[in-house]
Amino acid sequence: MNFDVAVVGGGVNGLFTALDLALRGFSVILLERGAIGSGTSGRMHGLLHSGARYAVTDPKAAIECIEENRTIAKIAPHAIEDTGGYFVAVTKEDVDFMEQFLKGLKQANIEYREVDPKEALKEEPNLNPNIRAVVEVPDKVVFARDLMFSVAISAYREGVLVIQDAEVTGFNINNNEVNEILVKDRLTGNVRSIKAKIVAIAAGPWTYKVVKLAGIEVEMMPTMGVMVVYQRRLTRRVINRMRKPSDGDILVPYGSTSIMGTTAVVIEDPDNISISDDDIKFLTSEGSQMVPLLTKTSVIRAYASVRPLIKIPGVDTREATRDFMVIKHEKPSNMVTVIGGKFTTGRLVGERLSDEVAKMLGSTKSSITRDYKLFGANLYEDLGELDGSLRSLALSFRGSIDEDRGRVAVLTLLMDEVARDSRRRLGWL
């Protein structure tokens, strides 16, 4: 089968790219070496940024985040908990940062409210009773796989073949163009060939490895961040430290748990990462300055994610932009790559990457994902198009004690069916 576009990478950037391109009328195949969301996107912090964290140090990223915060809440309300967020000043240095912080919020058009610390303690009794200042911002919590599965299912409904366990192992290049993508089927071990007019690489921190197969070097700074999961939900809102972005300054209420993060360490290989006891102790200690009860709450586990940051000489991990960059390569001329970005801006990344691809294919159609209601936004209405036992099982959750938890199960079952049918249609089953 020949496609207009092959998208490499099944995280939030690749998924939104595939959906965006399909909605513009292109034939698309998405290739993911593992399962959808099994890389960086499935290991994010859980925060749908308001942009406030970057308002002082990275204003462009801040503006992108607040705009996408509003957009994702509109097109995927089922994947969002609108918790709100507090930025809290613990030390005098935090208070001194506040003037800059408020100025940055205004410039980025991020709505905020100064909150009396006594009021904040009534709302969030587990906060440090000695907090000096509080600012409320529109942070939200995003359930990563709910969102990604919804995008993948939506893309499939628009004609995209979503192929899991498909690892790109090489490119055949003739006349300065990729005319064949070599793909290892990790379920069978077979190496297969995919043909596409354009190859769009959205492989997160693995991007530099993928493009190297085509003889391309990109300047990336794979940066590992550790998150710690605690047994209880300690706050209603996201709690942020009121200071420049640093290690251990965000506590996210995720379902019935709390997630503390994060660290930032440059690594050589995103497939070779480890978490130390010191990481857990450090994050617990830092977080306890905002929420002291953290030190008395059991740790369930820790996990790590690798950010695909843009490498800029002389700039360290915390100063590095959280913006993204779309690169149209000269050799091979039909390959385009995205590096950088955040989970919050995944839809925007997909739009911008698709803009470049559409231009390369001679199309003037614009993106419509900003207003495209994702599958699952009205889950039980969306299930009406299904038939057979899967529909019966999915609908059995409706009106039950587990209706909300059932959403995850339903989307997972549908994602499995999407992956199976995509393989069937491709002739891999």
Side-chain angles (χ1 to χ4, degrees), residues 242-255:
M242 197 186 300
R243 63 187 184 191
K244 289 183 179 180
S246 185
D247 289 356
D249 53 8
I250 309 175
L251 183 67
V252 177
Y254 198 81

Side-chain angles (χ1 to χ4, degrees), residues 213-329:
L213 298 171
I216 297 170
E217 299 283 342
V218 292
E219 292 294 317
M220 292 183 63
M221 186 165 56
T223 305
M224 184 187 78
V226 174
M227 276 70 68
V228 181
V229 185
Y230 300 86
Q231 193 172 36
R232 292 175 52 196
R233 180 170 178 146
L234 297 170
T235 62
R236 292 168 53 196
R237 296 166 180 79
V238 177
I239 307 299
N240 307 261
R241 186 76 176 267
M242 197 186 300
R243 63 187 184 191
K244 289 183 179 180
S246 185
D247 289 356
D249 53 8
I250 309 175
L251 183 67
V252 177
Y254 198 81
S256 61
T257 68
S258 300
I259 303 178
M260 185 66 209
T262 176
T263 57
V265 179
V266 177
I267 60 168
E268 291 186 4
D269 184 358
D271 288 316
N272 185 21
I273 59 177
S274 62
I275 301 168
S276 70
D277 289 340
D278 287 343
D279 291 326
I280 297 172
K281 291 175 182 176
F282 169 79
L283 289 170
T284 300
S285 175
E286 286 293 302
S288 68
Q289 294 183 50
M290 300 185 295
V291 179
L293 194 57
L294 207 63
T295 59
K296 298 180 180 179
T297 305
S298 297
V299 172
I300 299 174
R301 60 189 173 88
Y303 66 97
S305 180
V306 182
R307 308 174 186 91
L309 300 184
I310 301 168
K311 185 176 181 179
I312 301 173
V315 176
D316 67 19
T317 57
R318 283 301 174 196
E319 293 176 343
T321 181
R322 267 47 178 178
D323 200 2
F324 60 91
M325 180 186 301
V326 174
I327 305 168
K328 164 74 169 64
H329 300 291

Side-chain angles (χ1 to χ4, degrees), residues 72 94 116 128 131 135 169 173 189 199 216-217 251 274 277-278 304 313 323 362 364 376:
I72 297 300
D94 296 349
D116 185 281
N128 183 337
I131 54 174
V135 176
T169 57
I173 300 172
V199 182
I216 297 170
E217 299 283 342
L251 183 67
S274 62
D277 289 340
D278 287 343
D323 200 2
T364 58

Side-chain angles (χ1 to χ4, degrees), residues 178-197:
V178 174
N179 63 3
E180 190 176 43
I181 307 164
L182 302 178
V183 182
K184 180 181 179 180
D185 181 351
R186 296 177 74 179
L187 297 184
T188 65
N190 295 331
V191 176
R192 304 176 184 273
S193 170
I194 299 292
K195 293 188 176 182
K197 296 175 185 175

Side-chain angles (χ1 to χ4, degrees), residues 31-255:
L31 303 169
E32 163 55 45
R33 74 166 189 167
I36 293 300
S38 59
T40 293
S41 295
R43 297 168 180 265
M44 51 91 70
H45 198 162
L47 176 60
L48 190 72
H49 281 273
S50 64
R53 178 171 170 79
Y54 308 114
V56 174
T57 59
D58 199 349
K60 186 171 184 289
I63 292 168
E64 291 171 350
C65 281
I66 186 57
E67 291 177 352
E68 291 305 301
N69 173 297
R70 296 164 183 151
T71 298
I72 297 300
K74 177 179 69 174
I75 67 175
H78 61 294
I80 303 299
E81 183 182 355
D82 192 359
T83 59
Y86 279 169
F87 273 75
V88 299
V90 178
T91 65
K92 180 182 180 300
E93 289 75 17
D94 296 349
V95 175
D96 292 342
F97 178 69
M98 186 170 172
E99 183 178 351
Q100 271 185 288
F101 180 60
L102 296 180
K103 182 179 179 181
L105 294 178
K106 289 177 184 176
Q107 290 177 339
N109 194 28
I110 299 169
E111 57 266 35
Y112 70 90
R113 180 174 72 96
E114 293 184 57
V115 181
D116 185 281
K118 291 180 181 178
E119 178 190 338
L121 284 164
K122 287 180 182 178
E123 289 288 315
E124 299 287 358
N126 289 329
L127 282 177
N128 183 337
N130 298 316
I131 54 174
R132 297 165 177 244
V134 179
V135 176
E136 187 172 30
V137 298
D139 283 340
K140 298 177 177 66
V141 170
V142 56
F143 299 103
R145 274 189 168 74
D146 289 24
L147 179 63
M148 287 189 286
F149 286 177
S150 290
V151 181
I153 294 164
S154 297
Y156 167 79
R157 292 168 78 200
E158 300 294 344
V160 177
L161 297 192
V162 181
I163 310 298
Q164 299 185 135
D165 297 297
E167 181 177 6
V168 173
T169 57
F171 300 99
N172 285 335
I173 300 172
N174 287 321
N175 297 321
N176 196 32
E177 286 192 348
V178 174
N179 63 3
E180 190 176 43
I181 307 164
L182 302 178
V183 182
K184 180 181 179 180
D185 181 351
R186 296 177 74 179
L187 297 184
T188 65
N190 295 331
V191 176
R192 304 176 184 273
S193 170
I194 299 292
K195 293 188 176 182
K197 296 175 185 175
I198 305 292
V199 182
I201 311 296
W206 292 271
T207 293
Y208 76 97
K209 289 188 172 185
V210 177
V211 299
K212 195 171 185 178
L213 298 171
I216 297 170
E217 299 283 342
V218 292
E219 292 294 317
M220 292 183 63
M221 186 165 56
T223 305
M224 184 187 78
V226 174
M227 276 70 68
V228 181
V229 185
Y230 300 86
Q231 193 172 36
R232 292 175 52 196
R233 180 170 178 146
L234 297 170
T235 62
R236 292 168 53 196
R237 296 166 180 79
V238 177
I239 307 299
N240 307 261
R241 186 76 176 267
M242 197 186 300
R243 63 187 184 191
K244 289 183 179 180
S246 185
D247 289 356
D249 53 8
I250 309 175
L251 183 67
V252 177
Y254 198 81

